[in-house]
Structure formats: structure tokens, C-alpha cells
Amino acid sequence: MHARIAVAVAEALGGDESGFAELMNKKAYALGMVRTHFHNASGLPDAKQTTTARDLALLGRHIAYDFPQYYPYFAVEAFSYRGRYYGTHNNLLGVFEGTDGIKTGYTHSSGFNLVTSVVRGNAHLIGVVMGSRTAAARDQQMKQLLAIQFTRIEANNTQVMPANVPWQTANAGPKTNPFKGAVAQSLAEGGYQMAMTA
């Protein structure tokens, strides 16, 4: 179902799925994602589709800093639509201090994956864990990875520049539920690891 929706969007934007994949490749390269290659619109397993932890961290950073007005959506832990409850798959939200997104993922081929953004004090980190065997293992790996980095920053805070997190001021911070107001009205109507200082 999701793959068919992705293909329909790809055909509308790129003429066909291959054309859309090429548009994504051009954009990825322009963002600096030089080891990423898209071959389909859905992200489902494809031998010709590749990426790296570094490239995913870079993409996560661009999402946050290039579109701060939309970024608070990634911090939403749950919402209801037409009487049905939808909870996040990002188990670090509300549990690991400072977590405000970004993306979970799973396929049989790639395992359990996670791209996480965490802001603490003056530091913003983006971590990537790929290829875990379970969601619990993925979450634990991410917590350990980020905890190590924050410990290093606390020991020597001159190694990173002070964080400038525009999404915390763009919409009154990530704790604000972006589904309130106009958005809620429209809804009612219709195994690799990396941490990156952002």
C-alpha cells in the first residue's frame, strides 16, 4: 500500500518512478549525500539503492535546519484521527532527555534503523543506528552512542559550536503539539552507528 502511494507521488512529481529517483539523487548530491543512491520512491529494499550513516545524519540535519517550521512534527509522540490512536515508533521520545525526532525504519533486509536528534543545553547531536536485529537493541545502541558523545561534550565543551536550534523558536519549541489548531482542523476534515554534532 505505502509503496503504491510512493509511486503515485513519484509519477506526479517526476513523470515516472525512475525520473523521481533521479530528482532525489540530484538533491541528495546537492546536500552533500555523496554516497547515497536512490532507485525507487518507497525506500523498500533494492540492490541498486544505497546510503550511509553519515549521509542520513546529514539529511536529518538539513530537515531540521532547512525546515524548522515543520520540524516539531517529528517530536509528536501520538495523535488521534477519526477515533483511531496513532503512536510513534520512536521510543526515545519522552524517554531519552532532549530527544525531538527524527525517523525510525525497518525492512527485513536492512533491519531496525533509527535517526535521532537530541538537544541538551548548548549541544545538538544527530545519531544514526542501522541494521539492528530488534527495535529494543536499536534503541539501546542509540542511547549508548549519544550518551558517550554528550559525556565527551560535557568534559570539553569547546569541541562543538553552540547549538542554534531554530525549530525551538519557530513554533514555540518541540514540546508544542503541531497537530493543534489549523492542522488539527484539516485532519478532522479530511548495524552501523554514527553521531554527528549538528
Side-chain angles (χ1 to χ4, degrees):
M1 174 77 170
H2 294 108
R4 286 186 296 215
I5 294 171
V7 170
V9 171
E11 290 173 345
L13 296 176
D16 57 24
E17 191 169 13
S18 295
F20 183 69
E22 189 52 39
L23 290 174
M24 289 196 297
N25 288 325
K26 288 178 182 177
K27 185 62 176 180
Y29 193 81
L31 294 176
M33 299 170 64
V34 295
R35 297 185 66 190
T36 292
H37 179 78
F38 295 107
H39 192 248
N40 66 43
S42 65
L44 291 175
D46 186 321
K48 295 180 180 178
Q49 192 151 273
T50 59
T51 192
T52 64
R54 177 201 172 275
D55 281 4
L56 290 179
L58 186 60
L59 178 60
R61 187 186 192 289
H62 274 288
I63 290 169
Y65 288 88
D66 295 352
F67 303 98
Q69 69 274 35
Y70 302 117
Y71 189 76
Y73 283 107
F74 291 99
V76 174
E77 296 178 40
F79 68 94
S80 294
Y81 176 62
R82 292 188 176 176
R84 188 168 176 183
Y85 176 88
Y86 297 88
T88 183
H89 292 282
N90 188 342
N91 303 319
L92 272 64
L93 285 172
V95 174
F96 191 75
E97 179 191 349
T99 302
D100 60 14
I102 297 174
K103 177 77 176 80
T104 65
Y106 169 81
T107 67
H108 182 73
S109 299
S110 68
F112 289 85
N113 308 293
L114 181 60
V115 181
T116 298
S117 164
V118 179
V119 179
R120 290 186 185 174
N122 259 349
H124 177 214
L125 295 180
I126 295 175
V128 178
V129 172
M130 302 169 73
S132 293
R133 292 190 178 198
T134 66
R138 170 199 71 193
D139 296 344
Q140 189 58 35
Q141 288 173 316
M142 181 64 79
K143 289 177 184 177
Q144 291 173 348
L145 176 67
L146 292 170
I148 289 168
Q149 296 305 318
F150 277 114
T151 298
R152 289 177 178 166
I153 290 169
E154 288 171 11
N156 181 11
N157 63 9
T158 60
Q159 69 176 321
V160 295
M161 294 180 61
N164 173 18
V165 285
W167 58 93
Q168 290 192 351
T169 55
N171 284 334
K175 295 298 183 186
T176 300
N177 186 345
F179 284 105
K180 290 181 178 175
V183 176
Q185 180 64 31
S186 66
L187 282 173
E189 292 169 354
Y192 296 92
Q193 302 179 14
M194 177 179 184
M196 171 183 197
T197 54

